[in-house]
Amino acid sequence: MAANAGRRLLQHYVDNFRHLPWRSPPGEAPPDPYRVWLSEVMLQQTTVAAVAPRFERFVSRWPTVGALAQAPEAEVLGEWAGLGYYARARNLIACAREVATRGRFPTDEPGLRTLPGIGEYTAAAIAAIAFGRDTSPVDANVERVIARVHGLPTTERAPIRARFAEMAPPGRCGDFVQAMMDLGATICRPRAPLCAQCPLSEGCAAFASGSPESFPQRKPKQPRPLRFGVAHWIERDAAVWLVRRPAKGLLGGMAALPGDDWSGPDAPANAMTQVTHVFTHFELRLSVVAKAEPEGEGWWHPIADLGGAGLPTLYRKAAGALMAKRASLAAAA
DNA sequence: CATCCGTGGCA
DNA sequence: TTGCCAAGGAT
């Protein structure tokens, strides 16, 4: 019976509870909605290991949604640098300002859903975890666990939600969804699930089938084209010229090295160094080319403090490669 | 509904 | 090494 399986999973979560900075121990008072919201947004398509240290930094810098609402946009984007999917950070700022204007977070799913950066899953998760609502947050973990338990080949949303609602112990939805997340991350993994340790293996259709990893069906992968781009290294008085990328699109709003639009036919011959970086839907070979004078809007940033420039990973890698190249040339001379 | 949007870890 | 995949949202 689904409800029994749900209670078993919740008990497994309680018995194996692992503390995370944004969590409250099961059964205790829910965490600050600000922390729940921030962690949920940070965790979108991002691993716990990557988020944990960044979450602590973020919260110590901006302890409340009001403080975040007053922060300069460039500083928030800089703090987000390296976490990826930068629209999240832009929406985070807009959301914080909206909440600060309203005075507090909406406490139900429809209200949360109206805020920027809060979609179907995140609204349901915040409503459950921060406000004790009985919702059905369906993310990739919930999809996978439920598809396996019930032997569903696909991840259609409606049946998954219905099964989740059957399983979730009433009034414990917040802990239960986190139990699902933990199970999906540590036991019911995409590959090589640890069924011998799983509290749901009894009665699991995928386990009974003998090949649990084949549920649900994988989506076909798309080819990733290779693109060539140029970044300009413009240096003066131990500082390098940085620019702000356009507000929308790839790396939108982030600090960057100036350069072209990455539509070159191949790598230029005069590059000092180059790096390869993999984005979601293409791969970029970025050549770093020396240039004498800056053009347009930008600012000088001390080379000794490049780590504090708030550069996304692509440009952090490019700058790092250049410094390494320079060091090797100096050693040879 | 399909596409766009980052990054790092791991097998 | 290459490919896979993650606590999704906006358009």
Side-chain angles (χ1 to χ4, degrees):
Chain A
M1 186 176 183
N4 286 333
R7 282 192 290 272
R8 228 181 304 140
L9 175 52
L10 183 57
Q11 189 59 47
H12 182 271
Y13 176 70
V14 170
D15 293 341
N16 300 276
F17 180 71
R18 52 170 186 155
H19 182 76
L20 295 172
W22 49 86
R23 270 187 182 164
S24 292
E28 294 190 9
D32 176 3
Y34 170 64
R35 297 172 68 90
V36 175
W37 163 68
L38 178 60
S39 64
E40 284 297 333
V41 174
M42 274 194 181
L43 285 162
Q44 288 167 3
Q45 301 288 285
T46 309
T47 59
V48 166
V51 166
R54 308 300 298 268
F55 178 85
E56 300 277 29
R57 280 182 53 93
F58 213 95
V59 169
S60 25
R61 189 160 175 185
W62 299 293
T64 66
V65 67
L68 182 58
Q70 293 175 32
E73 187 158 329
E75 291 192 17
V76 179
L77 291 174
E79 191 62 49
W80 199 275
L83 276 172
Y85 285 143
Y86 298 99
R88 293 185 295 170
R90 302 193 298 270
N91 286 327
L92 196 79
I93 297 163
C95 183
R97 293 179 179 170
E98 177 69 24
V99 170
T101 298
R102 298 191 196 187
R104 64 184 177 96
F105 280 93
T107 64
D108 64 1
E109 214 174 338
L112 289 160
R113 189 68 184 74
T114 66
L115 292 167
I118 299 183
E120 185 179 35
Y121 161 77
T122 304
I126 296 173
I129 296 170
F131 300 114
R133 308 267 183 177
D134 284 330
T135 64
S136 299
V138 176
D139 77 316
N141 289 298
V142 173
E143 280 183 356
R144 186 171 60 256
V145 171
I146 291 183
R148 284 176 177 172
V149 167
H150 295 279
L152 308 176
T154 66
T155 57
E156 284 178 78
R157 195 50 59 90
I160 301 278
R161 288 182 70 107
R163 305 290 197 183
F164 182 96
E166 291 168 11
M167 283 184 79
R172 303 296 307 278
C173 200
D175 288 331
F176 185 73
V177 66
Q178 293 179 88
M180 277 272 188
M181 304 299 182
D182 276 13
L183 189 78
T186 63
I187 293 175
C188 195
R189 307 179 297 191
R191 289 173 296 191
L194 306 174
C195 298
Q197 305 174 29
C198 182
L200 300 183
S201 62
E202 183 184 341
C204 175
F207 177 55
S209 80
S211 59
E213 69 283 351
S214 62
F215 294 87
Q217 287 182 332
R218 303 278 210 281
K219 296 157 194 167
K221 57 177 180 183
Q222 295 141 4
R224 190 143 48 196
L226 175 63
R227 294 170 61 178
F228 296 92
V230 172
H232 296 304
W233 186 265
I234 309 165
E235 183 174 336
R236 176 185 299 172
D237 298 332
V240 63
W241 184 253
L242 299 182
V243 300
R244 177 85 42 203
R245 289 181 61 86
K248 295 181 178 180
L250 192 70
L251 308 179
M254 299 299 290
L257 293 172
D260 70 352
D261 63 357
W262 306 348
S263 62
D266 50 27
N270 58 340
M272 297 186 289
T273 186
Q274 66 177 21
V275 294
T276 297
H277 189 71
V278 179
F279 291 102
T280 304
H281 56 290
F282 67 95
E283 185 173 334
L284 177 67
R285 187 116 51 212
L286 185 68
S287 298
V288 184
V289 175
K291 194 178 168 202
E293 296 296 328
E295 298 174 31
E297 295 290 308
W299 67 95
W300 296 105
H301 192 93
I303 291 176
D305 179 46
L306 269 178
L311 293 173
T313 300
L314 168 67
Y315 295 109
R316 188 178 52 74
K317 279 163 68 174
L322 185 77
M323 304 321 280
K325 178 77 169 182
R326 173 179 293 178
S328 72
L329 288 178

